[in-house]
Amino acid sequence: MEFTTGGRLEVRISPADVGKRVSVRRLNDPGGGPQKFTDTVGVLASWTGGVVRITRKTGEVVRIAENTLVAGKVIPSLPGARPGAPPARRRGPAADALEIDRIAARSWPPAERARLAPAGADPDAGLASGSGWELRAAGGFTRRANSVFPLSDPGLPLDEALRRVRAWYAERGLPAYIHVSEGATAEQDALVTELARRGWTNEGTAEVWTSALAPLADRDPAPFPAGDTPGHQVESGSDAPELRGELSRTLSDAWLARYQRFGTPAPESLAVLSGGPSVWFATVWAGQEAAAIGRCVVDGRWAGFAAVEVAPAYRRRGLATAVMAALSRAALAEGASAAYLQVETDNARAHALYDGLGFRPHHPYHYFRAPRDDAR
């Protein structure tokens, strides 16, 4: 980690850099062991009262006394092209975290929502232009659809906003979660510190990965049709004649049976899965059962992928790749050019699949849960 200019250590960050990704080096306590320095990388959440707070990728907040800093620098969030970088068509799209978070929220809409917003804000504004905090609920089906999305200042003192959040979710018999992304806004980065101070705990970390869409569509879509109209069914090759691919605008019972998030789907779950600007469902049929499934929502230039699952008996046949390729072609035909997905940090199998398809990590996000004994 390089911090020097002309061989000298320098602190090249200040309170004006709050909200940016930084790396710093601090001097350790002389009695803390043989290591003289400790390096920390993350988002600069705050710098007040002589204390620097940095939020790491894991959601951990590191507090550093200002007088122990010996070096520091801002890490560019969108580095330019480097020698040997892939062609533009195969590079991931340029976008900030908040843009993708807004798109992702529209692709996974809750069954019920409410808003905390500053005075004068349009209460009917959508996610593209809305402000404040959006409270989302869907009967407990996924934390994505049952958490607060803090777009900006809620227009209330923080403690009052959190009280209203806890009360709103308690009325619905749900735990209160707040979704916070790293690097989305300075308010979100600072919110991490404030939530931790009030006893909210990080109960889940995931990542947004992005990719150019065209290379995904170049993949072999068999057993889906290579060029026919989406929805047309064809037999796969002779090595697996029982498999056929289909794209549809509607959910099937077989698709739902393969999806592993629930047993019998509740109306709220169906509303989430079917909601979004332009939704596609992919199914690889093995007789009357779904051997593999996937979902894609097209929203402007973005195509969001989710629910890519393959039955154990049909794994290692390239079906997940085929599902992604078929959905990508449908999205490309609607004018999309960029792809994103959300994956948990500990899902090594999914990481390997998406890395092989050209996706790269964009930013992590966390779900902070209210103290369990304080749901007022």
Side-chain angles (χ1 to χ4, degrees), residues 120-266:
D122 182 357
D124 298 319
L127 284 170
S129 58
S131 59
W133 289 10
E134 179 166 277
L135 284 59
R136 307 172 291 185
F141 172 62
T142 72
R143 282 182 292 205
R144 262 191 281 173
N146 293 269
S147 57
V148 176
F149 182 15
L151 292 151
S152 64
D153 186 343
L156 295 166
L158 181 58
D159 286 330
E160 175 62 14
L162 295 177
R163 186 194 67 77
R164 294 193 187 187
V165 165
R166 294 195 299 265
W168 194 82
Y169 283 100
E171 288 172 2
R172 289 153 183 79
L174 298 171
Y177 285 102
I178 296 182
H179 170 144
V180 183
S181 289
E182 283 192 27
T185 65
E187 290 88 352
Q188 285 194 39
D189 293 327
L191 182 59
V192 170
T193 300
E194 297 303 323
L195 291 175
R197 287 177 55 191
R198 289 162 172 80
W200 290 61
T201 55
N202 183 357
E203 286 207 349
T205 296
E207 296 173 338
V208 173
W209 289 35
T210 61
S211 170
L213 186 64
L216 293 172
D218 290 342
R219 301 273 178 165
D220 183 3
F224 291 88
D228 294 333
T229 302
H232 177 64
Q233 300 177 11
V234 297
E235 297 296 324
S236 64
S238 58
D239 58 332
E242 76 281 5
L243 298 180
R244 56 189 174 89
E246 179 185 29
L247 292 183
S248 173
R249 290 293 197 176
T250 58
L251 284 163
S252 68
D253 290 340
W255 194 102
L256 290 168
R258 173 53 47 210
Y259 189 54
Q260 298 180 14
R261 288 279 187 169
F262 45 60
T264 301

Side-chain angles (χ1 to χ4, degrees), residues 2 17-18 25-26 40 80 97 100 110 114 155 162 168 180 182 208 230 253-254 265 301:
E2 182 58 54
D17 294 313
V18 167
R25 176 168 294 172
R26 71 177 186 268
T40 302
I100 301 177
L162 295 177
W168 194 82
V180 183
E182 283 192 27
V208 173
D253 290 340
R301 72 179 180 123

Side-chain angles (χ1 to χ4, degrees), residues 104-127:
R106 287 201 295 266
S107 78
W108 203 257
E112 182 182 5
R113 68 183 76 207
R115 189 181 295 276
L116 299 178
D122 182 357
D124 298 319
L127 284 170

Side-chain angles (χ1 to χ4, degrees), residues 42-54:
V43 174
L44 182 60
S46 64
W47 189 333
T48 59
V51 177
V52 176
R53 293 179 175 85
I54 295 176

